[in-house]
Amino acid sequence: MEVKQIADCDVTNDVNKWLAENPNKEVLEMKFTTAATEGEWVSDVLIIFRKEKY
């Protein structure tokens, strides 16, 4: 397995871009978290995908 972490206030575009650039990756799971402190927030996405065989 391999992982890709994406963190930003709005992760939608970054996740879609990564998926479009990696169409042959077999995504096993995506985990989402959001944290907020004093009016600011950030989202994290962890994309877990199958490691390519060499």
Side-chain angles (χ1 to χ4, degrees), residues 24-49:
N24 296 326
K25 302 278 187 197
E26 182 183 350
V27 176
L28 303 172
E29 188 173 355
M30 295 175 71
K31 296 182 179 263
F32 296 83
T33 61
T34 301
T37 57
E38 298 184 22
E40 294 184 12
W41 57 276
V42 66
S43 294
D44 286 296
V45 179
L46 187 66
I47 303 171
I48 303 168
F49 56 96

Side-chain angles (χ1 to χ4, degrees), residues 2-54:
E2 291 187 59
V3 298
K4 170 67 178 169
Q5 181 179 9
I6 299 171
D8 202 347
C9 290
D10 183 4
V11 295
T12 304
N13 290 335
D14 293 334
V15 170
N16 287 334
K17 180 180 175 185
W18 186 89
L19 291 171
E21 291 174 351
N22 296 280
N24 296 326
K25 302 278 187 197
E26 182 183 350
V27 176
L28 303 172
E29 188 173 355
M30 295 175 71
K31 296 182 179 263
F32 296 83
T33 61
T34 301
T37 57
E38 298 184 22
E40 294 184 12
W41 57 276
V42 66
S43 294
D44 286 296
V45 179
L46 187 66
I47 303 171
I48 303 168
F49 56 96
R50 189 170 306 282
K51 187 174 184 175
E52 294 181 22
K53 296 178 183 177
Y54 296 100

